Amino acid sequence: MSTVPASRSTRPSARIALVTATAALTAVTATACSTSSPHTGDTDATGSGGSGGTIQVVAAENFWGSIAAQLGGSHVKVTSIISNPDTDPHDYEPTAADARTVAGARYAILNGIGYDAWADKLLASNPGRGRTELKVGDLVGIKPGGNPHRWYSPDDVHQVIERITADYKKIDPADAAYFDRQKTTFETKTLAGYNKLIADIKATYAGTPIGASESIVTPLADGLGLKMLTPETFLDAMSEGSDPTAKDKATIDRQIKKKLIKMYVYNSQNSTPDVQAQVKAAEAQGIPVATVTETLTPAGATFQQWQTTELQDIEQALAKATGK
């Protein structure tokens, strides 16, 4: 897999993206608003499924899009803007096609917390009559500057499931019972393996000290009850594309050399030279290494397939490290 470029804070493309999005919206809004997407039943001009029609949904990232599609079933059509594993969501540049998708959407899902600022601008440039918007950061109470990787928090994932279902029912009250059934099936059956792995890891390995390459791992570690020893300043620097301090690197080197951590977890889509050196050092010390990715991998995987595979990898690494 190609790695996502490491530097995020110095890229000019984020500003370019906003200009691109605004220009694209200006060009397509007039036509997009009058274009109907395939649906059944009656819909309003915004693609509402209020009378049993198909709700047009746009998700900034495919991890939220996968959940939205499964909760909506045959009553929604979900388009995820970020769907390529090699695309960096932080500085994505929206296209004219993205603008058309947003213009026709009845429901929009963003991560927020500064993670996808380009999507904020894309939506703001075309308010959309009657469109419902979900910003995950606002839902879970994480303010700008906080850790944006909420899809790695099991508790936050379940909050998002609740809200998406509630929003679908408001948009399409005629099919409320259907959405309730979809939610029940998703939570009790579809996510059964995901939920069990989380519960099992927490019950067996809670308190186990680990190290990580960036802050994407922190919400998951919290959800699993693992103890993160890597300095938060290092985790944040790597996530933001900044250079870590020599002090932080020395701390991590010491943690690895003295085996103060039992497992090291790194984001393979943002594997910088510093991270690669830490992975090699951990492996040399016999410390198991597990990997995660920022977006659905492989492309086309469902949220639960992706997360379950990663959780299994983490569970195996912890078992190897602790002998449990």
Side-chain angles (χ1 to χ4, degrees):
M1 176 184 297
S2 302
T3 57
V4 173
S7 178
R8 290 171 176 157
S9 62
T10 58
R11 292 174 182 161
S13 53
R15 290 189 296 273
I16 296 173
L18 304 185
V19 176
T20 302
T22 302
L25 279 166
T26 301
V28 304
T29 297
T31 57
C33 287
S34 61
T35 301
S36 299
S37 298
H39 62 276
T40 58
D42 298 326
T43 63
D44 64 21
T46 59
S48 169
S51 300
T54 301
I55 304 172
Q56 303 298 317
V57 182
V58 59
E61 299 88 11
N62 60 0
F63 36 80
W64 297 128
S66 175
I67 292 174
Q70 294 178 81
L71 290 173
S74 62
H75 290 229
V76 305
K77 179 180 179 182
V78 179
T79 301
S80 294
I81 295 177
I82 301 293
S83 59
N84 186 329
D86 293 330
T87 300
D88 186 351
H90 297 78
D91 62 357
Y92 178 72
E93 297 184 25
T95 66
D98 297 332
R100 287 192 293 271
T101 299
V102 167
R106 180 65 180 84
Y107 188 43
I109 304 170
L110 289 71
N111 189 75
I113 324 175
Y115 185 77
D116 45 14
W118 54 267
D120 277 318
K121 294 295 184 180
L122 195 59
L123 289 170
S125 296
N126 177 47
R129 182 167 63 86
R131 183 175 61 220
T132 300
E133 298 176 6
L134 166 60
K135 189 176 294 186
V136 173
D138 291 347
L139 172 67
V140 301
I142 303 297
K143 297 179 179 180
N147 191 315
H149 308 102
R150 307 326 303 173
W151 60 99
Y152 269 107
S153 166
D155 287 343
D156 289 356
V157 167
H158 286 288
Q159 284 193 60
V160 171
I161 291 169
E162 292 285 344
R163 175 56 65 85
I164 290 176
T165 300
D167 285 344
Y168 282 164
K169 290 164 67 177
K170 289 179 181 178
I171 295 169
D172 180 7
D175 290 313
Y178 173 84
F179 294 125
D180 281 335
R181 290 193 299 271
Q182 289 293 110
K183 172 180 172 293
T184 297
T185 298
F186 188 65
E187 289 190 314
T188 62
K189 296 181 180 180
T190 307
L191 290 185
Y194 167 81
N195 292 332
K196 186 176 187 303
L197 278 165
I198 291 168
D200 288 349
I201 292 172
K202 189 171 186 177
T204 306
Y205 303 105
T208 302
I210 70 167
S213 68
E214 61 173 273
S215 64
I216 190 174
V217 183
T218 303
L220 181 60
D222 291 342
L224 297 176
L226 305 176
K227 185 178 181 180
M228 179 68 72
L229 292 192
T230 305
E232 184 177 355
T233 47
F234 178 89
L235 298 174
D236 291 343
M238 298 307 295
S239 293
E240 296 165 5
S242 304
D243 292 329
T245 66
K247 180 181 178 181
D248 282 347
K249 289 193 287 185
T251 296
I252 296 168
D253 289 343
R254 179 177 59 83
Q255 291 173 348
I256 292 174
K257 185 176 181 179
K258 294 188 175 184
K259 294 187 177 182
L260 300 180
I261 59 172
K262 298 296 184 182
M263 175 182 68
Y264 184 89
V265 185
Y266 81 104
N267 176 7
S268 62
Q269 290 177 322
N270 188 27
S271 184
T272 67
D274 284 323
V275 170
Q276 292 171 8
Q278 290 170 12
V279 168
K280 290 180 180 178
E283 291 174 338
Q285 291 295 327
I287 297 172
V289 175
T291 63
V292 296
T293 58
E294 195 147 341
T295 54
L296 296 183
T297 306
T302 62
F303 173 84
Q304 64 272 14
Q305 289 169 339
W306 171 53
Q307 288 287 297
T308 297
T309 297
E310 292 186 343
L311 287 166
Q312 289 172 337
D313 189 26
I314 289 171
E315 185 178 45
Q316 290 169 7
L318 288 167
K320 182 179 178 181
T322 63
K324 296 181 181 180

